[in-house]
């Protein structure tokens, strides 16, 4: 049931439990293990527009965190796995992680509703009455700081101590981002997002990670941009991190009607005059008019709707992307962003 009262019936799989969350959809045909374990989906019910989900099973090397992050899963058909790397089915995985799913839902009609009306709260339940009660008492997605639920409780370090250090301000980082830094020879340290000042002080470069929820609630992170600019610290912001940089610089953010969640979104590079195919997962965006007089300029846009896809500081080593350059799942068109960040750190971070 959606918060407007519309009901979509199907069959239960996964754990036998109720769930509520903001209902969003992804048009990705592959990469469901990466999507389900992406911390940016915390607090959301994820609808897959691809009609067949689960056909290559589940393998832990595809996970972007240590558990499923979504509140619930909606698919047209949950298939049985047929792949040599699979260790369990999607149904078994959801049961193990205590996540409910529903299949044989008219996902086309549901997606059309979300595109036309916009994303909204929803509930998975055994009856319309149960769903209605859940939605009546559920906190609204925009009012909850989900980063505190997915940020690590303690500092986590990877790599040798004698390497150049990248400090991740971890609001729900995907492990593929960590891996991209490690293969470039860095030591990587993940700091809980409220410990951002320690990341600035202890490391040669800073990465502001992706994460879930409403970025306008993250007022405790706003000062980080002031300190980054003051210290001329090499910085990369990805997705939520991109929005935090913009917000801290004085720009404004807005909630999109239904967001970008896919692995085939075009991004136009205004500097290099190229178009990349990219991975996206965001429901908020930067107001392009508010960028003026912030010291930043737009270097990339989404050509379908002119969403700001990247910012770069006019004088300092600060780069951001709204899209996901690690591309898990998705194409590797923009992994060069990590190379650019590595150059910034080596040139300015010591």
């Amino acid at each position: 049931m959606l918060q407007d009262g519309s009901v979509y019936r199907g069959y239960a799989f996964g754990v036998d439990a109720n769930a509520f969350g903001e209902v969003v959809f992804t048009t990705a045909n592959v990469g469901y293990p990466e999507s389900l374990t992406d911390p940016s989906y915390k607090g959301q019910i994820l609808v897959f527009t691809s009609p067949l989900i689960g056909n290559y099973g589940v393998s832990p090397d595809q996970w972007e965190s240590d558990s499923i992050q979504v509140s619930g899963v909606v698919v047209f058909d949950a298939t049985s796995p047929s792949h040599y790397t699979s260790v369990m089915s999607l149904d078994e995985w959801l049961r193990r992680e205590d996540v409910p799913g529903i299949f044989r839902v008219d996902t086309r009609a549901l997606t059309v509703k979300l595109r036309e009306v916009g994303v909204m709260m929803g509930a998975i339940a055994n009856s319309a009455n149960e769903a209605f009660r859940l939605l009546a008492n559920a906190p609204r997605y925009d009012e909850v700081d989900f980063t505190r639920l997915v940020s690590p409780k303690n500092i986590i370090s990877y790599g040798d101590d004698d390497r150049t250090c990248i400090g991740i301000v971890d609001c729900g980082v995907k492990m593929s981002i960590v891996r991209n830094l490690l293969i470039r020879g860095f030591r990587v340290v993940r700091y809980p997002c409220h410990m951002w000042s320690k990341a600035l002080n202890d490391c040669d470069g800073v990465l502001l990670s992706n994460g879930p929820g409403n970025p306008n609630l993250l007022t405790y992170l706003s000062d980080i941009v002031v300190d980054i600019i003051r210290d001329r610290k090499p910085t990369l912001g990805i997705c939520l991190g991109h929005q935090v940089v913009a917000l801290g610089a004085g720009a404004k953010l807005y909630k999109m009607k239904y967001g970008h969640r896919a692995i085939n979104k075009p991004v136009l590079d205004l500097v290099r005059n190229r178009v990349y195919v990219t991975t996206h997962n965001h429901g908020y965006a930067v107001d392009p008019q508010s960028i003026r007089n912030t010291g930043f300029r737009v270097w990339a846009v989404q050509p379908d709707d002119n969403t700001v896809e990247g910012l770069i500081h006019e004088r300092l080593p600060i780069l951001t992307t709204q899209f996901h350059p690690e591309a898990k799942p998705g194409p590797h068109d923009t992994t060069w962003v990590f190379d650019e960040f590595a150059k910034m750190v080596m040139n300015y971070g010591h």
Side-chain angles (χ1 to χ4, degrees):
M1 175 181 281
L2 297 177
Q3 70 183 58
D4 67 354
S6 55
V7 173
Y8 301 82
R9 299 187 184 277
Y11 297 90
F13 75 115
V15 72
D16 183 11
N18 297 334
F20 62 85
E22 183 179 61
V23 184
V24 300
F25 64 89
T26 175
T27 59
N29 287 319
V30 295
Y32 57 87
E34 291 92 337
S35 295
L36 294 177
T37 54
D38 181 352
S40 295
Y41 279 120
K42 193 71 174 179
Q44 294 176 320
I45 294 174
L46 184 57
V47 180
F48 288 92
T49 62
S50 179
L52 302 177
I53 297 295
N55 53 350
Y56 55 89
V58 176
S59 177
D61 61 3
Q62 300 163 331
W63 299 1
E64 290 299 322
S65 65
D66 58 5
S67 64
I68 296 176
Q69 301 291 341
V70 300
S71 297
V73 180
V74 182
V75 299
F76 177 72
D77 198 4
T79 61
S80 298
S82 178
H83 198 276
Y84 72 97
T85 65
S86 176
V87 297
M88 70 187 88
S89 69
L90 178 59
D91 177 53
E92 291 169 330
W93 191 28
L94 293 178
R95 289 174 185 271
R96 194 181 82 171
E97 300 272 338
D98 292 328
V99 177
I102 181 171
F103 73 102
R104 286 292 168 176
V105 171
D106 188 345
T107 51
R108 287 183 296 181
L110 178 54
T111 302
V112 168
K113 165 63 76 77
L114 297 175
R115 282 179 61 93
E116 292 181 348
V117 179
V119 297
M120 63 185 87
M121 293 293 293
I124 296 174
N126 287 319
S127 71
N129 286 337
E130 284 184 62
F132 182 82
R133 285 196 296 270
L134 276 175
L135 289 173
N137 298 313
R140 292 304 179 249
Y141 178 80
D142 298 336
E143 299 171 354
V144 179
D145 179 7
F146 289 101
T147 63
R148 296 186 181 273
L149 301 179
V150 295
S151 182
K153 305 304 180 188
N154 303 296
I155 297 172
I156 305 171
S157 181
Y158 308 83
D160 298 333
D161 291 344
D162 58 350
R163 294 182 178 182
T164 301
C165 177
I166 303 296
I168 296 179
V169 180
D170 191 343
C171 298
V173 72
K174 293 172 65 179
M175 285 306 299
S176 290
I177 293 175
V178 175
R179 295 185 194 108
N180 267 280
L181 296 174
L182 289 173
I183 64 175
R184 286 165 175 81
F186 293 109
R187 176 179 177 237
V188 179
V189 183
R190 294 166 57 191
Y191 295 89
C193 52
H194 66 275
M195 295 177 61
W196 60 262
S197 59
K198 191 167 180 59
L200 264 65
N201 294 331
D202 294 352
C203 294
D204 303 290
V206 172
L207 188 146
L208 301 177
S209 83
N210 62 290
N214 181 358
N216 292 298
L217 299 179
L218 307 182
T219 53
Y220 61 91
L221 278 177
S222 59
D223 289 342
I224 191 172
V225 180
V226 175
D227 287 4
I228 285 170
I229 291 174
R230 180 200 64 204
D231 297 343
R232 304 177 66 88
K233 182 73 72 173
T235 300
L236 174 62
I238 295 177
C239 202
L240 181 72
H242 154 85
Q243 297 163 3
V244 167
V245 169
L247 196 63
K252 296 181 180 179
L253 309 177
Y254 64 93
K255 183 161 187 176
M256 305 170 74
K257 188 173 183 180
Y258 49 85
H260 293 160
R261 297 174 182 89
I263 61 175
N264 63 346
K265 289 288 186 182
V267 164
L268 173 60
D269 185 333
L270 301 174
V271 175
R272 299 163 186 83
N273 196 30
R274 296 177 180 175
V275 174
Y276 313 111
V277 181
T278 62
T279 296
H280 284 234
N281 178 10
H282 65 105
Y284 295 82
V286 177
D287 178 358
Q289 301 302 317
S290 67
I291 296 298
R292 297 174 182 173
N293 303 317
T294 63
F296 288 87
R297 58 185 174 89
V298 177
W299 73 267
V301 296
Q302 215 274 1
D304 292 339
D305 59 10
N306 292 317
T307 304
V308 175
E309 289 293 334
L311 298 173
I312 190 168
H313 199 275
E314 294 170 347
R315 302 179 310 279
L316 303 175
I318 306 173
L319 174 68
T320 75
T321 66
Q322 180 62 81
F323 57 90
H324 279 264
E326 81 286 348
K328 288 291 184 179
H332 295 166
D333 289 27
T334 55
T335 53
W336 61 264
V337 168
F338 293 104
D339 297 325
E340 287 295 309
F341 179 50
K343 292 176 185 176
M344 288 164 43
V345 174
M346 300 314 293
N347 291 334
Y348 299 95
H350 296 282

